[in-house]
Each structure stands twice: as C-alpha cells, then as structure tokens.
Amino acid sequence: MSTLTAPTEAPPAGPGRPAYRVTGQRVLSSEWAKLWSLRSTWITLGLGLLFLVAFGLIASSRYKSGIGSGHMDPDFADSTAVSLSLFGTNFAQLALGVLGVLVMAGEYSTGMIRSTMAAVPRRLPVLWAKAAVFGLVTLVVGTLGAFITFGFGSGIVSGTPAAMSLTHAGVVRSLLGAGLYLGLVGVIGTALGALLRSVAGGISVLVGALMLIPGLVSLLPSSWRGDISPYLPSNAGASMFALTHDSTTLSPTAGLLVFLGWTALALAGAAYRLVRRDV
C-alpha cells in the first residue's frame, strides 16, 4: 500500500521589512531633532545669549560713565573692550551648562532614556552624539554672542583708554576662546547629566565646580593657592579668552589643554557609568 502525501504550500511572503542600521549619522540626527523639539532649549539658549550680550553692554556702559564722571570703579580701572564685552561669560556659562545637564539627565527623569537606549543598544554613541550636538550649538551661540557684544561694546567705549578693534593683537583669539569655552562648558554639563543621572545633582556639581570651588580655594594659604588655582576648571577656562596673562595665570594654550582635560575626565566618568550601570 502506498501513501500519497499532499504537497505543502509555503505561506505567501509578506512585504519585506526594510533593514535599518544604527549609524553615527542617524544617532546625531536623532539627537539634533530631540534637542530642538524641547521648549527649554530655545528658552535657555536665549537666556545664555542674553546674559552674554546684556552684561557685556552694561559693563561697557558702566566703564564709559565712569570715565566721563571721573569716578572710575576700581574693578573696571584696567579694563579693555575685550574684557568688558566678555563680562557676561560667567553668567552665560551657567545657563548653557544647566541646559547641558537637562539634555542628558532630563531623559532619566522622564524615563525617555529607556526608549533611547532600546533604539541604540550600544549606549555610548548616544553620549557622544548628545555631547557633539550640544557642544556645537553652544559653541556657535557663545561665539556669535561674543562677537556681537564686542561689536557694540567697542563702539560704546570708543575714545576711551579701553578702546580696541578686531585688528588689535589677541582680540579675535579672545573672542573665539570665549565661544570655545562656553561650548566645552555645555559638553561638561551633558557629561555630568549622564554621570549623575539627576538634574539637581548635575546642576549642583556644575555650579560648585565653576563658581564655589574657586572661592573656597581663595581661603587657602597663598603658597597653596598659587599651585592650585590656575588649574581649576573656571580659571583654566578664563585663561582661554583673557587678553593678557601674568605669572599667576596659564597661557591660552595651557588653559585650553587643562580645560580639555577636565572635559575628557567628565566624559570618561559618564561613559563608564553609562556602560556599567543599568538605565
């Protein structure tokens, strides 16, 4: 007896699904879209630019009025058009650094980080993309603000001892250095957000590192202070855009290298925790 077996028919093939690959360009595009979709991005970037321009123009006007009245504030006695224009850098760095923390830590507070890491399982490309995108944005905003403020500020102090133009030695370097400093502050803020995974914690460490620690170091004996102070993040960063230097400050190149070292340290800590700990 023979048994006949009915041939089985293969199920019809469904429509083919496109093969998606996680690439660096796509991760960058994703982080770029997420950054500009947040209302806080526009508001905080606007505040950073406002602080940089407004305080620079206020300082220039204060200097001009002091020269005219003959009652110069001692804090402005040796100022130049560059130092007056960049007076708002310390205020702008807080706004841009805080936004950097929010860019990364905000995803942990909302739980969106789970979706982000599900889309990019290797994790580290997310950190590099966030740092690169936000660092570039803050670099552009800081540089644009520095040149705008100097353009108006130099006009305000025209005809005074502080008057300078872009052709003076070191002016362009100082303005570019200020923009680069603010860009790196944004990267550090992003790294702190990934390292601490807390908006409050990241902002606290950022403010402490940039503003509180230099004040505490000033309480140390002068022999210690001279060896420590130039290498603090804020002081090393300030030497990047200072027009003149003395024995107590770093050169622009040395200040840049030191500040890059602090930035790399923050990124390394963020990368380690991102890889080693669950989201």
Side-chain angles (χ1 to χ4, degrees):
M1 175 184 283
S2 63
T3 304
L4 297 178
T5 303
T8 59
E9 296 182 359
R17 297 180 59 187
Y20 290 104
R21 295 179 60 249
V22 177
T23 63
Q25 182 179 358
R26 286 173 174 166
V27 178
L28 285 171
S29 299
S30 173
E31 295 303 329
W32 178 267
K34 284 194 289 184
L35 177 65
W36 294 111
S37 66
L38 299 174
R39 185 181 302 174
S40 60
T41 298
W42 298 91
I43 295 174
T44 314
L45 285 177
L47 285 176
L49 184 60
L50 176 64
F51 290 157
L52 185 59
V53 175
F55 281 102
L57 296 183
I58 291 172
S60 300
S61 300
R62 181 70 179 272
Y63 177 87
K64 181 73 171 182
S65 63
I67 287 289
S69 64
H71 299 287
M72 174 59 65
D73 189 328
D75 293 334
F76 292 104
D78 298 325
S79 297
T80 64
V82 172
S83 63
L84 293 170
S85 298
L86 298 180
F87 185 80
T89 304
N90 289 334
F91 302 95
Q93 71 179 354
L94 290 181
L96 299 178
V98 166
L99 181 57
V101 174
L102 290 172
V103 165
M104 192 71 192
E107 290 203 21
Y108 284 95
S109 63
T110 61
M112 187 178 178
I113 191 66
R114 297 183 181 89
S115 300
T116 299
M117 295 308 174
V120 189
R122 293 177 60 188
R123 298 190 179 186
L124 284 183
V126 173
L127 176 61
W128 308 143
K130 283 184 180 292
V133 167
F134 188 67
L136 178 61
V137 170
T138 50
L139 170 65
V140 172
V141 170
T143 304
L144 181 63
F147 276 91
I148 290 175
T149 310
F150 179 80
F152 286 102
S154 60
I156 293 174
V157 300
S158 177
T160 68
M164 303 183 81
S165 67
L166 284 174
T167 58
H168 279 75
V171 171
V172 173
R173 189 266 305 162
S174 295
L175 299 178
L176 292 175
L180 179 57
Y181 170 69
L182 292 174
L184 292 176
V185 167
V187 173
I188 290 177
T190 305
L192 290 177
L195 176 62
L196 300 175
R197 302 185 176 186
S198 165
V199 173
I203 293 174
S204 299
V205 172
L206 180 74
V207 173
L210 296 179
M211 304 193 71
L212 298 183
I213 292 179
L216 295 176
V217 169
S218 65
L219 302 176
L220 296 175
S222 57
S223 58
W224 298 4
R225 188 168 61 245
D227 294 332
I228 299 175
S229 182
Y231 300 95
L232 296 177
S234 57
N235 293 339
S239 66
M240 294 168 53
F241 56 85
L243 194 61
T244 59
H245 302 271
D246 54 35
S247 59
T248 63
T249 60
L250 299 175
S251 67
T253 302
L256 173 61
L257 293 176
V258 170
F259 200 70
L260 284 174
W262 285 110
T263 305
L265 183 63
L267 284 172
Y272 179 83
R273 188 171 189 196
L274 196 61
V275 171
R276 295 294 182 179
R277 299 297 179 88
D278 192 8
V279 297

